[in-house]
Amino acid sequence: MSSKQSAPKNARTSGPAGTRRQAAAVPAPAPAGPRPARLTAAAALTGLEGLALAAAGVYLLVMGLLGKPNSPQQAEMGGLTVLALSALPLAAARGLWLRRRWSRGPAMITQIMALPVAWTLFNGGGALIAAAVALAAVAVGTLVLLVNPTATEALGIGPRE
């Protein structure tokens, strides 16, 4: 019997490939200790941004169906796009809440993307200025919370040595 016939492929665990398969099957250990308040605040703010985007997407969809837009197709596509975009901050907020290391990147990207949106709202004038200031304050505040050493340690992100 040759070595290829001695054991089925899924039963082989020797070598680097078998080790990789076993390591991938083991779930990551739960973080020890309580969640820092800064990380909780960052997760909450990111989640609120995601919920606001989802609400805006639903509003655009409803107004595209019930309102009288110039282009119903464009209004519906805009609503679907905003709904799809809300998935990034919502997933990042859940990851931050569960203290997942991967979640910091999407959360920071969400905040960085919010700054040009705030600038555009600010240039719109009128009541949009208040919305722009609020959005910019939340984005900058969340960025500060995400780069804080307490939050990075809680996520398992440490200094490079």
Side-chain angles (χ1 to χ4, degrees):
M1 231 176 157
S2 72
S3 63
K4 289 183 180 178
Q5 296 173 345
S6 63
K9 283 186 177 182
N10 59 0
R12 293 182 198 154
T13 57
S14 62
T19 306
R20 223 178 292 124
R21 261 188 248 126
Q22 288 175 351
V26 176
R35 183 184 318 103
R38 291 181 175 124
L39 190 60
T40 302
L45 290 172
T46 304
L48 285 174
E49 287 176 330
L51 289 174
L53 275 174
V58 169
Y59 175 78
L60 288 173
L61 282 172
V62 168
M63 292 313 292
L65 290 172
L66 303 178
K68 296 182 181 173
N70 292 340
S71 172
Q73 294 87 2
Q74 191 173 10
E76 294 303 315
M77 196 57 169
L80 289 174
T81 302
V82 172
L83 270 175
L85 286 174
S86 72
L88 181 67
L90 290 173
R94 185 173 192 280
L96 289 171
W97 187 262
L98 297 175
R99 294 170 66 176
R100 301 292 188 250
R101 183 180 192 158
W102 61 264
S103 62
R104 183 173 175 243
M108 290 182 74
I109 289 169
T110 298
Q111 307 316 314
I112 292 168
M113 288 172 42
L115 293 172
V117 172
W119 179 253
T120 302
L121 289 173
F122 185 79
N123 287 331
L128 294 177
I129 292 176
V133 170
L135 179 59
V138 168
V140 170
T142 306
L143 280 171
V144 168
L145 292 170
L146 289 171
V147 298
N148 186 284
T150 306
T152 57
E153 283 178 23
L155 293 171
I157 303 168
R160 295 183 183 193
E161 296 177 12

